[in-house]
Amino acid sequence: MDKSILVLDKGTRCTAWNYSGERLVAGLIDGSFAIYDSTDPASSNLTCTHRFKAHNCSIVKVVWAPPEYGDAVACITEDGNLSLWEEVVDDTEGPHWKMCKCFDRNTSQVLDVQFGYGQTCLKLVAAYSDGQVKIHELLDTLELEKWQLQAEFQNVIDLVSKFGNVSCLSASISWNPERIEVRQSSFVLGFNSNTPSLNSAKVWEFDLDHQRWLPVAELSLPEDKDDQVSSVAWAPNIGRPYELIAVATQKGISIWQLGSNPDHDGRLSVHRVALLSAHDNEVWEMEWDMSGMTLATTGSDGVVRLWQSNLNGAWHEQAVLAPPS
Amino acid sequence: MEHNPPQVHKFPQDSYVDALRWLPQLSTFSRHVLLASYDSETSTPSLQTLTFSPSETAPSLTPQASAPAPSRITSLKISPSPLSPSRALIASATFSGSLLFLSADLINGSLDLEFSLPELGFHSGPVSAIDLNDSGSECVSVGEDGCVNLVSLSVSKGFRRVYDSKGLVSYSSVKWASPVEFVTGAFGFGLHWWDQRKPGGPVALFKDDWTKGSASGIVHSIDIHSSRKHTCVAGGSSGVVFAWDIRRPKQPVMLSGVGIGNAPAYSAVESDIWEVHYDNYTHSSKMSSSSSSTILPAMICSEDGILAVIEQGEEPTELLAEPCAINNFDIDRENPSDVICSLEWESLAILTRRRA
Amino acid sequence: MPGVTSDSGEFNSLSIVPHSLETQTPRVYPLRTRRAAPPFGRVSISWARGNTLRVSLLQPEGADSDGEVVEVNLTNAEGGEIPEAQRRRIAYGSVTPFALLQSRKNPMDELQYDKTWWVHVMEYSNEIKSLLGASKSYITPTIEDPKALLKDVEEPTSLKAAWELMELFYADKQSQTWIPERLLDWLADFDCLLSATQPTFHARLVSFQKALVTIQEVENYPEYWEVMSSALAVGWLDIVVKMLRLHGSYQLDQLGTREIESGLVEAVALLISQMPRLRPHISDEKLGECYSTKPEFMKAWEKWRTQITKLDCHPYWLQCDHKQTRVGLKNMIQIMLGNANVLSNATYHWIELYISHLLYIRPFTVGLESMYTLAQKCMHLKPITNQHKLMGLLIGILEENTEVVLAECSRSFGPWMITHAVELLTAGSAQAEMLLHEEQSKIGGICIEELHRLIYAQILSSHALTWNIAPIYLTSCMKQGLGLLENLLYKQPVQHHQVLLKSIEICRLNGIDYVSRHMMKIAGVHYWKHGKKGSAVFWLQQAQDEVRLNRIAKHLFDFVGKSVSDESFKQWEGMIELLGTESKTAGGLEFLKRYRDFRRSLQQVQDGITTDDARKTSEALISLMKNPSTPQQFWLHLLYDSLRLLNWKDHPLLNVSQTNLLLNKLQELSLARLLPGYVDADLPPEAFKSVRRALATNLGRAILEE
C-alpha cells in the first residue's frame, strides 16, 4: 500500500526522519529548515510546525542526533559548514530551534557527518573534502554546545602515509548501529576522491586500550581498491554471527560480510557475498531495515530498489518502486 | 456474587477507542454510549454517540451521531445536566492541548460542538486529565506542562489558571472533591489537594512513603465518592491502588500493589492501573456490612487486561481477564450493574452483573 | 482482481519475504504521488516503523513543482482480499492461541509429544479458523424453497481455504484415512473462490440457480441434466437429489402418466443418497452412507456398484418415453460407474475432475499415495493458464514438497499465514519439521521457522496498533528475537506518555531493563529540553541516569531561592516530592530535599525554639556543609541564614571541630571568590564578614567549653 503523506516546500534539498519516524526535518535551498510533525501519536498526518532560516546558503544534508541527546540535527551547508541545531523550550519562549554549535573548519568542506549510537559519550564523525576524518566528542550530556576533537586522521589502512592535495567530491559514513554500550564503537567510511587509497570503504574501530582509532577492515577486492565510493550502509545486526555492510561504487552495490573475531594483526575477516548492479551504477542512498534483512537503495535512475537474500544466501532484487514517469 | 459471572458482550470496532463514557439514560430500552475513537487508517480522531440496545442474546451497538475532533482525546467527562437529561454536556480534552465542550442530543441524535478552548495558551502539550463538576458549571484541567486550569462554563466562557508549576510538576489526573476542592495526581505517586478558597498552591500534599528506589510511579486515575468527600482512591503504576484520607494525610490505605512495602496480600494486577472508579453496585450489595471507616469497593482496569473490583481486606473479584490491555471503563450511573470497557485490540465490552 | 495468482503485480501484493524458489526479474510497483513528477534531484529513503518505507521525492534545483513524501507499506501479500481492520482483528485473535501452543511445547516429553501433540495443534487450528470467518458450509439446501440450491452465506476467503487445506493434510491426524472426502468438503466450501477467474462448476450452478426461477418443466432443459451430472461428479449429492425432485414427473398431476419415469428418477435418487462414503461421519444435510473402515467401505461399495449396474441394465429404460430424462439419468449412472470421459465432460476445473476421479474411479484411495500423479493428469486434461494461488498450494502439498508449500504459503498468503501455518506443517510432516527447524547458516544461523516469525513481527511493527503484539512472536524466536525486539523498542516515540508506558511494560515482561532505561532516558531528556522539568527528573530517576541528574541538579540550583526568607522556594516542593525517600536515585538533586528540610527547621529557629531543636538544626547544617553534593553557591547562604545558630545565646551549638570545618569551608569560598567566573551571591556585602565573626566567636566559646 502506498500513500502520499506530505507535500514538501519548494526548494527542499534534503530530508531526514527522526528515530521514531514522527518528525521530519527538511533542509531548503535558501538555508531554511522546515520541521514537520505528526499531529497525533501514530498519525501519518504531518504538519509543518517550525520553519526558520538557519544559513545563508543551501542546506545539503541533515542528520538527527540520537534521541537521548534531545531533538537535534546536524546540518551541512553547500559551502561546507557544519552546525548543530536543537529544539528547546525556555522560560521566555515555547518550543523553538537554536543553533548550539558551529564547528570550525579550515578551507576544506564537510562532506558527510554521522552521530554514533549507544556510547557513554556522544561521538560525531565528519568527513572533509581534504580527505580528513574528524571525530568530535560531546563533553556534557545535556549541552550540545561543548565538543572536543577526539581524533583526526585520513581514511587509509597504512596509518603512516599522509596525502596532501586531496580533493574529495563526496564521502559516506555509516556507524555500526549496535547500541549495547560495552561494544567498541566502529564505523565504515568511504570517499569519492582523486586519491585512490582514500576511496575504498574502511571499517574504523576505537581501540580503548590505546585510545585511538584503527582501521580493522577494508571493504574492497584488490582489483577494486581505487574505486570511488558513493555510499556505505552498515546493517543492524539482530543476532547474526557476522556484520553486513553495503558499499556502493560505480561498479555496483557490494554486500560485505564482516567477521567478528580479529586476526593477530587486529584485522577482521571480510567476504563479499554479492555484487549487485543497479541505478546505472550511481547510487544516492542506501538504508537497511530494522532487521538488517532488506536493503533499500536509490540512485540516479530515480527509482527505489529493494534487495534481499533468499534462503540460499543469494542476494537479488526483490522489488522496484517507481515514481510515475 | 463471585460465583455469578457477569454477562459479557463484545463489540469489535474498526478503530482504537481512546476514551468512553455511558451517557445519561433516557429509558430502559435505549441506552447511549459516548466514544472517543481514532481511525488509524485515515489518522482521524472523532467523537461519537452510539445507541446500545440491551438483550440477553443479541445486544447491539449502533452509531448515532459523530463529531470530528482536532486531535486524539486524552480525557472524556460527562455532566448529566439534570434539567434536560436528553442533552448531555460533554467535556473532552485533546492530545494537542485543547478542550472541547459538546452537547449530545440523544433524542434527535446529534452531537454538536458548543465551544472550545484552543491549544494556544491553554496547555502546552497534551491535557492529561479533566473533570467536570456535578453541576456542569466548571471544568478543571491538568497537563504534563504542570498547569492547572479552571474553565468556567457559566456566563463568561473562559479559563483561569489556578496554578502553573512552570514544568516542575507534571500532572496526570484530577478529580473534584467538592464544589471548591479538587485533587490532582502526579508523577511519583503524589497527590495534591486544592482548595479554591486558599489560592496559591495545593493545601495538602501526599507523597508515598512505601516506594523504594525506582519503584515509584504515576497516578493515572483518581476517584472520590460523593458520600465521603474527604477520601480519594487513586490507581497507578505497578498495580498500585491506595486510598488517601485528607484527615489522615500520613496514613494511606493500600488496596493493591505488587512488591511494595506494606502492600496487602491480594493484588489484582502487576501493571498499570489505568482507571479507578468507586463501585456503587458492589457497595450497595454489601451496604449492611461496611462501616464508615472501611474504604468503599472500587473497580479498576489494567494494562494486563484485568477488570476487577477491589475491596479493603478482601480478595479482588475479577470481572474480565483479557489477553490485551483494558484501557478505560465506565460504570453506568443509573444502572451500576452495567459496565462498559474498551479493549486495546479495537473492541468494546459491555458487562452486565447479576445478583446471585 | 484479488487473489488471482501468487504474484499479481498489484501494489498491495508486494511483500518482501525471502523464499527459496527461483526468483524472476523484480516486479515494478508504481508509486502514486499527488504532484511530484520526475526528473528528481534526489530520492531519499528512510525506514519508518516495521516494514514501512518513506520515500522523499525531491525536485532538482530550479524546478517548479514541490517535493513529496510517499509512504510505502511492504506488508500485505494476500492481495488485499481482507480489509485492514479485519486483518488486524485476525492478528489480535491469533496471539492467544499462538502463545498457548508455544507454551505447551516446552514441558512436553518426546513420547507424549508424538502421541498427543496434534490434539493441541487441532485445538489451535480451530481457534485460528474461527478468526478467519464463519465456518458454515457454502452449499446448504433450505427446506422453504425447493428451488434454492445455494444458500447465501458470507463469501469465504482464500486465507481460510488455505488454512483448511493445511489443516486437513497436516494437522488433523483423524482425517488421514479419508482425505479424498475431506478434499471434497473443502471444494464444496471454496469452489466459489476459484469461480472469480476460472470456469468452475460453482459458477455454473450460480448461473443455473438464477435461471431456475423462471424455468417450467425443468426436465426439458439440457442445462438441468448437465448441472445435475456435474453436481454428482463433484459429490454434491444433496444438490443432485434436490434437483431430481424438481423433475416434472413428481408433479401431482403427472403421477399417473409418468410412472416409469418417476420410478427411474426416484431409483437414481435413492442410489445417490445411499452412496457409500469412506468417512466417519457426515453432516445431516449431506447424503450418503458413512463407513469408517476401508474393508467395510469396500464391501458396501461393491454392493452399491452392483445395484447401479443392475439399474443400468434394467428393461424399464426402454419404456421411458422422455428422452432427456432417459439420457440424463443414464449419464448420471455412467458417472457413478466411473466413466472417465463422462466425468471429464461433467467437470470444469481440474480440481473438480480430480475430486470426481477420487470419488468414482479410485474410491479406495487412502492417504497421499499417487495423488500427485492423478492431479497432474487432471491438470493436463483441464489446463488452466492462470493458476489460482490455492491450487499452487494444493499442488505443493500433493507433491509433498515442503519448500513449495512454504514458498506458496508465504508468497501468496503472507507472513501471517506462514507464521501460523508452520505449526500445522510441523505437526504433520517430519520432513517439514526438519526443514523448518534446521539452522541455516545462509540466513545468519536461524531456522526458517524463526525467519518467518521475525518477518511477521516486523510486519506487526509496521502498524501503531499492532506493534505491541510483535513481542509475543519475538519471544518465541530463540536467536534473533531479542535483537529485533530491542530495535523495535528503540524506534518507539517515547515522548508520548502512553507509548513509553507500554514499552516499559513490554520490557518488564521480557526482563530487558536496559532497554527500558534507555527509553526512559530519551523521554527524560526530551522533557528536560522541553521545559517539563518534573517529568524529566522523574524519568531520569527511573532510568537511574545519575550523570544527567547531577548535571540537571547543577543547572537547577542556579534558580533555587537561596535565602530562607525567599518565598519562591515553595514552587520547588512539587519537584522535591518527586525525589522520593531514597536518595540513591536522585543524584545531585537529593540536595534539594535536604536543603528543604534544613530550611524548615531553620524557619523554626527564626520563630524561636528550644536549644535542643536548635542543636538538631545545627547538626543538619554541619551535615549539609559536609556533604560533597551541596553546591558551593549555597555555602554562604546557608551560613548566613544560620547566624542565629552560630550566635546561640545559651551556649555554643557547635564544637571545635565542627566550627573548624565551617571555617575551612569559608576559607575555600574566599579563595574561590578570587577566581574569574565566580558570581557573588546576592547577599549584603557584610555577610561574609558577619559569618566569619560569628564563627570566630563560636570557636572561642567552644574552646572554653571544652
Side-chain angles (χ1 to χ4, degrees):
Chain A
M1 198 178 67
D2 62 330
K3 73 175 174 204
S4 174
I5 54 169
L6 178 66
V7 172
L8 295 161
D9 283 3
K10 205 168 288 173
T12 302
R13 284 287 297 272
C14 53
T15 58
W17 287 94
N18 77 341
Y19 76 104
S20 63
E22 297 223 326
R23 298 197 101 171
L24 178 79
V25 58
L28 275 72
I29 198 157
D30 66 352
S32 295
F33 277 122
I35 314 283
Y36 303 88
D37 279 296
S38 64
T39 48
D40 281 304
S43 167
S44 54
N45 284 344
L46 294 148
T47 51
C48 184
T49 50
H50 300 273
R51 200 190 147 125
F52 57 94
K53 185 136 169 114
H55 292 283
N56 285 325
C57 64
S58 174
I59 295 170
V60 293
K61 183 163 182 125
V62 274
V63 179
W64 285 93
E68 58 267 38
Y69 295 91
D71 282 50
V73 292
C75 130
I76 302 173
T77 53
E78 194 153 46
D79 55 9
N81 272 314
L82 173 63
S83 57
L84 287 184
W85 293 78
E86 183 187 22
E87 185 186 62
V88 284
V89 170
D90 50 37
D91 293 338
T92 51
E93 215 182 326
H96 62 278
W97 287 76
K98 62 159 195 184
M99 183 162 87
C100 39
K101 174 80 182 169
C102 186
F103 288 90
D104 298 329
R105 64 178 177 103
N106 45 22
T107 50
S108 60
Q109 298 173 329
V110 180
L111 299 174
D112 193 16
V113 64
Q114 290 293 336
F115 291 97
Y117 304 86
Q119 300 110 355
T120 36
C121 91
L122 181 64
K123 288 191 175 70
L124 175 96
V125 50
Y128 290 77
S129 59
D130 57 0
Q132 289 292 320
V133 182
K134 286 184 190 171
I135 291 157
H136 300 275
E137 262 185 351
L138 186 65
L139 291 172
D140 181 336
T141 48
L142 275 179
E143 303 279 345
L144 289 171
E145 282 88 358
K146 295 167 195 150
W147 294 81
Q148 77 174 6
L149 185 65
Q150 187 214 14
E152 184 173 2
F153 49 83
Q154 283 186 320
N155 190 34
V156 283
I157 286 284
D158 173 11
L159 288 173
V160 191
S161 43
K162 285 273 176 286
F163 297 91
N165 271 340
V166 177
S167 163
C168 307
L169 284 174
S170 72
S172 182
I173 306 162
S174 181
W175 282 86
N176 179 351
E178 177 67 62
R179 279 186 178 82
I180 295 176
E181 297 189 6
V182 292
R183 286 279 293 272
Q184 315 287 38
S185 43
S186 49
F187 63 87
V188 58
L189 165 68
F191 273 105
N192 174 1
S193 77
N194 63 355
T195 312
S197 42
L198 288 184
N199 285 341
S200 69
K202 292 162 197 91
V203 177
W204 293 86
E205 194 174 275
F206 191 64
D207 175 4
L208 266 181
D209 296 337
H210 303 97
Q211 290 290 307
R212 58 178 179 171
W213 287 89
L214 291 174
V216 290
E218 183 171 16
L219 304 179
S220 71
L221 298 178
E223 63 268 29
D224 299 333
K225 278 200 190 306
D226 302 345
D227 290 351
Q228 290 153 344
V229 170
S230 57
S231 183
V232 291
W234 194 314
N237 185 354
I238 57 171
R240 273 181 268 103
Y242 50 83
E243 297 292 330
L244 275 182
I245 298 173
V247 178
T249 66
Q250 73 271 23
K251 292 197 177 114
I253 299 165
S254 306
I255 311 278
W256 290 86
Q257 277 185 8
L258 182 69
S260 49
N261 297 320
D263 63 11
H264 56 277
D265 291 334
R267 295 283 154 83
L268 300 174
S269 63
V270 294
H271 171 51
R272 187 169 83 174
V273 289
L275 175 63
L276 310 160
S277 181
H279 301 298
D280 309 326
N281 294 328
E282 194 188 330
V283 173
W284 284 339
E285 283 184 25
M286 302 197 287
E287 199 176 291
W288 291 92
D289 71 339
M290 67 188 283
S291 59
M293 287 195 230
T294 311
L295 177 70
T297 62
T298 68
S300 56
D301 56 357
V303 300
V304 181
R305 294 175 194 276
L306 301 174
W307 309 85
Q308 227 172 31
S309 155
N310 69 10
L311 297 182
N312 303 318
W315 285 83
H316 62 97
E317 190 170 1
Q318 186 85 9
V320 180
L321 310 178
S325 48
Chain B
M1 207 180 83
E2 286 81 356
H3 307 292
N4 200 10
Q7 195 179 35
V8 183
H9 289 288
K10 289 197 183 158
F11 302 91
Q13 307 287 303
D14 288 349
S15 56
Y16 191 84
V17 179
D18 282 329
L20 51 72
R21 293 286 164 228
W22 284 107
L23 284 164
Q25 189 175 345
L26 296 181
S27 75
T28 341
F29 308 106
S30 118
R31 313 271 293 277
H32 292 92
V33 172
L34 177 70
L35 285 192
S37 55
Y38 181 69
D39 184 329
S40 64
E41 277 157 56
T42 53
S43 297
T44 42
S46 64
L47 287 158
Q48 58 175 331
T49 53
L50 298 102
T51 310
F52 173 58
S53 315
S55 143
E56 282 280 316
T57 47
S60 70
L61 201 55
T62 42
Q64 190 191 36
S66 79
S71 172
R72 288 179 75 162
I73 304 300
T74 55
S75 183
L76 197 59
K77 286 289 156 68
I78 290 192
S79 172
S81 63
L83 296 178
S84 53
S86 68
R87 289 187 71 87
L89 173 69
I90 296 161
S92 60
T94 69
F95 185 81
S96 59
S98 59
L99 185 52
L100 318 172
F101 292 94
L102 300 97
S103 69
D105 185 333
L106 302 179
I107 292 171
N108 300 316
S110 67
L111 186 60
D112 300 302
L113 181 69
E114 294 292 323
F115 85 104
S116 69
L117 288 162
E119 339 174 332
L120 214 64
F122 185 57
H123 278 287
S124 95
V127 182
S128 306
I130 50 169
D131 196 28
L132 268 174
N133 63 0
D134 282 341
S135 66
S137 61
E138 272 187 313
C139 180
V140 59
S141 72
V142 295
E144 281 180 14
D145 59 351
C147 289
V148 180
N149 293 332
L150 204 57
V151 183
S152 161
L153 289 117
S154 46
V155 193
S156 57
K157 293 180 165 61
F159 78 94
R160 174 167 75 80
R161 178 142 302 160
V162 176
Y163 188 71
D164 182 354
S165 80
K166 305 250 170 18
L168 290 175
V169 183
S170 283
Y171 296 106
S172 52
S173 45
V174 66
K175 179 77 191 171
W176 284 102
S178 76
V180 287
E181 293 161 292
F182 57 86
V183 179
T184 58
F187 285 53
F189 284 138
L191 290 179
H192 297 181
W193 195 285
W194 305 75
D195 188 333
Q196 290 188 66
R197 293 163 299 196
K198 298 172 192 161
V203 291
L205 292 173
F206 164 75
K207 173 72 180 90
D208 72 275
D209 54 357
W210 64 79
T211 55
K212 296 270 181 291
S214 62
S216 190
I218 304 165
V219 174
H220 294 312
S221 175
I222 306 174
D223 198 17
I224 294 173
H225 198 273
S226 51
S227 71
R228 297 182 183 183
K229 298 198 167 179
H230 42 79
T231 308
C232 68
V233 60
S237 317
S238 314
V240 166
V241 182
F242 63 95
W244 181 46
D245 188 334
I246 181 79
R247 297 166 305 181
R248 287 181 287 275
K250 296 281 178 211
Q251 296 161 305
V253 179
M254 293 298 295
L255 297 172
S256 166
V258 172
I260 282 170
N262 61 342
Y266 317 116
S267 270
V269 293
E270 293 180 34
S271 55
D272 294 86
I273 303 273
W274 291 127
E275 197 154 2
V276 56
H277 291 297
Y278 277 117
D279 182 22
N280 282 343
Y281 181 78
T282 309
H283 179 213
S284 63
S285 70
K286 298 196 168 178
M287 203 52 146
S288 51
S289 63
S290 67
S291 81
S292 64
S293 62
T294 46
I295 308 298
L296 300 175
M299 193 184 289
I300 52 125
C301 70
S302 76
E303 171 65 29
D304 49 9
I306 302 292
L307 182 74
V309 177
I310 48 174
E311 285 174 81
Q312 192 175 5
E314 280 185 47
E315 208 153 333
T317 313
E318 230 171 69
L319 299 175
L320 206 58
E322 289 293 313
C324 64
I326 300 179
N327 289 327
N328 6 60
F329 74 94
D330 195 27
I331 304 173
D332 196 351
R333 281 194 209 207
E334 285 108 351
N335 278 303
S337 64
D338 294 1
V339 183
I340 185 166
C341 61
S342 80
L343 311 181
E344 184 184 18
W345 290 346
E346 296 174 77
S347 93
L348 294 175
I350 296 183
L351 292 86
T352 306
R353 291 181 279 176
R354 291 165 296 188
R355 306 259 183 224
Chain C
M1 187 65 66
V4 183
T5 61
S6 38
D7 224 353
S8 68
E10 288 275 315
F11 208 106
N12 55 15
S13 72
L14 168 61
S15 94
I16 41 170
V17 180
H19 49 76
S20 56
L21 296 191
E22 278 295 301
T23 43
Q24 321 93 327
T25 47
R27 283 194 170 274
V28 178
Y29 301 88
L31 280 181
R32 288 167 298 177
T33 56
R34 265 182 272 177
R35 291 184 222 165
F40 297 111
R42 185 91 178 172
V43 180
S44 209
I45 38 177
S46 174
W47 291 95
R49 39 171 90 242
N51 264 357
T52 311
L53 186 68
R54 300 234 176 97
V55 184
S56 296
L57 303 162
L58 307 177
Q59 302 294 348
E61 216 167 305
D64 216 23
S65 52
D66 305 323
E68 201 166 320
V69 183
V70 179
E71 187 176 85
V72 184
N73 222 323
L74 308 161
T75 51
N76 12 333
E78 41 70 45
E81 186 188 24
I82 299 171
E84 275 291 323
Q86 173 69 19
R87 209 192 338 245
R88 288 200 301 277
R89 217 166 290 148
I90 294 173
Y92 298 143
S94 15
V95 170
T96 311
F98 178 83
L100 180 65
L101 192 69
Q102 301 312 314
S103 71
R104 281 177 166 161
K105 275 182 190 167
N106 305 327
M108 269 216 169
D109 64 67
E110 200 80 3
L111 191 75
Q112 249 210 309
Y113 187 91
D114 289 343
K115 271 193 200 148
T116 59
W117 180 244
W118 74 271
V119 180
H120 294 313
V121 175
M122 278 309 291
E123 200 179 300
Y124 158 82
S125 181
N126 285 330
E127 292 259 343
I128 300 276
K129 256 196 308 192
S130 68
L131 297 169
L132 301 178
S135 59
K136 273 184 206 128
S137 183
Y138 196 71
I139 296 145
T140 358
T142 46
I143 310 151
E144 298 83 38
D145 182 4
K147 285 190 170 183
L149 304 173
L150 291 165
K151 199 180 168 189
D152 285 331
V153 290
E154 200 185 332
E155 176 95 356
T157 59
S158 306
L159 197 58
K160 182 161 198 234
W163 185 270
E164 292 205 357
L165 266 189
M166 298 289 283
E167 182 194 86
L168 83 91
F169 279 103
Y170 296 108
D172 193 352
K173 291 278 182 271
Q174 280 175 330
S175 74
Q176 299 305 312
T177 49
W178 50 292
I179 279 185
E181 286 278 349
R182 287 284 313 256
L183 207 51
L184 184 155
D185 290 350
W186 179 86
L187 188 68
D189 286 343
F190 301 109
D191 202 29
C192 53
L193 291 171
L194 308 177
S195 315
T197 51
Q198 290 155 13
T200 60
F201 168 56
H202 175 266
R204 184 84 173 86
L205 186 60
V206 169
S207 70
F208 180 70
Q209 167 84 73
K210 275 185 204 137
L212 189 61
V213 186
T214 55
I215 290 178
Q216 299 296 317
E217 292 171 17
V218 74
E219 66 274 17
N220 295 333
Y221 288 83
E223 292 100 317
Y224 171 68
W225 296 103
E226 281 165 30
V227 167
M228 269 198 299
S229 304
S230 301
L232 182 61
V234 295
W236 302 356
L237 307 184
D238 48 328
I239 291 194
V240 185
V241 171
K242 195 172 180 189
M243 285 180 76
L244 279 174
R245 305 270 195 247
L246 298 176
H247 194 273
S249 63
Y250 281 99
Q251 304 277 313
L252 285 177
D253 56 337
Q254 309 270 327
L255 275 179
T257 47
R258 299 168 73 175
E259 270 172 355
I260 300 282
E261 224 180 304
S262 166
L264 284 170
V265 170
E266 191 51 36
V268 170
L270 193 67
L271 276 175
I272 289 173
S273 46
Q274 286 174 346
M275 177 171 160
R277 315 277 300 252
L278 183 52
R279 58 191 294 162
H281 48 77
I282 197 159
S283 61
D284 287 343
E285 64 263 30
K286 298 281 172 66
L287 299 173
E289 311 250 321
C290 299
Y291 296 91
S292 48
T293 65
K294 200 170 164 185
E296 279 178 87
F297 170 75
M298 285 169 79
K299 219 165 111 191
W301 181 265
E302 292 308 332
K303 199 175 144 206
W304 183 69
R305 270 285 170 85
T306 320
Q307 284 176 319
I308 295 173
T309 324
K310 220 161 117 193
L311 179 65
D312 193 26
C313 310
H314 210 281
Y316 277 141
W317 293 109
L318 302 172
Q319 297 169 37
C320 179
D321 301 329
H322 194 259
K323 189 189 164 206
Q324 281 96 333
T325 302
R326 194 175 64 236
V327 173
L329 289 178
K330 277 277 195 180
N331 196 51
M332 286 163 80
I333 284 175
Q334 282 307 303
I335 285 174
M336 288 190 279
L337 289 172
N339 182 323
N341 282 334
V342 178
L343 288 179
S344 181
N345 288 335
T347 50
Y348 298 83
H349 195 279
W350 74 259
I351 183 77
E352 293 166 5
L353 178 62
Y354 184 62
I355 297 287
S356 71
H357 269 253
L358 290 173
L359 267 185
Y360 301 106
I361 299 181
R362 297 171 49 185
F364 306 135
T365 304
V366 170
L368 283 173
E369 47 183 274
S370 64
M371 275 181 87
Y372 180 58
T373 351
L374 179 60
Q376 277 181 313
K377 188 177 148 193
C378 294
M379 275 187 279
H380 182 72
L381 287 169
K382 296 207 176 286
I384 286 169
T385 46
N386 212 353
Q387 189 77 272
H388 191 279
K389 58 185 181 181
L390 279 170
M391 294 300 109
L393 177 62
L394 179 62
I395 294 163
I397 293 172
L398 295 175
E399 200 186 347
E400 294 182 77
N401 186 336
T402 313
E403 287 190 27
V404 173
V405 173
L406 285 176
E408 289 294 339
C409 261
S410 67
R411 251 195 344 192
S412 311
F413 301 98
W416 175 87
M417 176 70 182
I418 184 84
T419 304
H420 293 89
V422 153
E423 302 297 344
L424 305 180
L425 197 54
T426 50
S429 151
Q431 183 214 353
E433 165 146 32
M434 256 182 34
L435 182 75
L436 280 158
H437 291 157
E438 189 190 349
E439 285 176 10
Q440 311 266 331
S441 62
K442 297 258 175 60
I443 52 171
I446 51 173
C447 66
I448 293 175
E449 180 184 74
E450 176 160 347
L451 175 76
H452 287 298
R453 285 181 188 167
L454 291 170
I455 290 166
Y456 179 58
Q458 198 169 338
I459 279 166
L460 289 174
S461 325
S462 306
H463 198 283
L465 298 184
T466 56
W467 76 268
N468 56 47
I469 57 180
I472 306 279
Y473 292 88
L474 291 173
T475 44
S476 71
C477 296
M478 297 318 289
K479 294 210 147 169
Q480 301 190 353
L482 186 62
L484 193 59
L485 180 57
E486 285 174 17
N487 283 357
L488 167 62
L489 289 166
Y490 287 137
K491 278 184 169 259
Q492 293 309 313
V494 293
Q495 75 275 19
H496 301 319
H497 198 66
Q498 296 300 324
V499 177
L500 177 60
L501 293 174
K502 172 67 75 179
S503 307
I504 293 171
E505 175 72 3
I506 290 171
C507 292
R508 184 179 73 87
L509 293 174
N510 290 287
I512 40 176
D513 294 348
Y514 56 97
V515 180
S516 62
R517 277 203 297 276
H518 179 90
M519 286 187 290
M520 295 190 272
K521 204 177 281 188
I522 295 175
V525 172
H526 176 85
Y527 287 125
W528 175 252
K529 301 260 178 180
H530 289 82
K532 291 164 186 168
K533 304 185 184 78
S535 303
V537 168
F538 176 79
W539 287 118
L540 289 173
Q541 255 186 294
Q542 300 282 307
Q544 298 165 22
D545 188 345
E546 221 174 307
V547 176
R548 284 191 176 85
L549 281 172
N550 287 338
R551 184 58 198 74
I552 281 179
K554 245 166 103 188
H555 177 89
L556 284 182
F557 293 155
D558 291 343
F559 298 95
V560 173
K562 294 177 188 69
S563 163
V564 184
S565 50
D566 193 338
E567 272 298 303
S568 72
F569 189 77
K570 220 172 147 189
Q571 62 167 337
W572 293 89
E573 287 288 344
M575 162 86 75
I576 292 164
E577 289 300 316
L578 264 181
L579 300 175
T581 41
E582 199 79 347
S583 58
K584 253 185 281 172
T585 52
L589 280 174
E590 208 260 323
F591 162 73
L592 268 185
K593 197 174 155 59
R594 283 182 292 114
Y595 180 55
R596 190 255 325 246
D597 295 344
F598 176 69
R599 284 173 63 106
R600 279 190 187 158
S601 53
L602 205 57
Q603 213 101 49
Q604 291 173 332
V605 173
Q606 240 76 316
D607 304 342
I609 44 157
T610 62
T611 305
D612 245 15
D613 288 328
R615 188 177 296 281
K616 268 184 207 146
T617 311
S618 58
E619 295 290 334
L621 172 69
I622 294 297
S623 103
L624 260 181
M625 291 301 288
K626 254 188 189 163
N627 197 309
S629 72
T630 302
Q632 204 182 42
Q633 69 256 43
F634 279 81
W635 292 359
L636 192 56
H637 286 276
L638 285 168
L639 292 170
Y640 187 67
D641 286 341
S642 313
L643 273 180
R644 259 188 90 172
L645 291 175
L646 303 179
N647 297 325
W648 199 251
K649 284 190 203 88
D650 309 350
H651 58 93
L653 296 172
L654 303 170
N655 63 27
V656 177
S657 68
Q658 285 171 329
T659 320
N660 276 329
L661 175 98
L662 296 185
L663 277 167
N664 284 341
K665 289 279 177 186
L666 206 61
Q667 182 68 19
E668 210 176 305
L669 202 57
S670 66
L671 286 174
R673 288 170 99 182
L674 302 174
L675 295 172
Y678 181 87
V679 184
D680 216 2
D682 46 354
L683 286 170
E686 73 282 3
F688 197 86
K689 264 189 197 144
S690 17
V691 169
R692 184 171 209 145
R693 202 176 311 127
L695 282 174
T697 318
N698 195 78
L699 184 64
R701 291 168 71 195
I703 289 172
L704 287 178
E705 195 123 315
E706 279 168 25

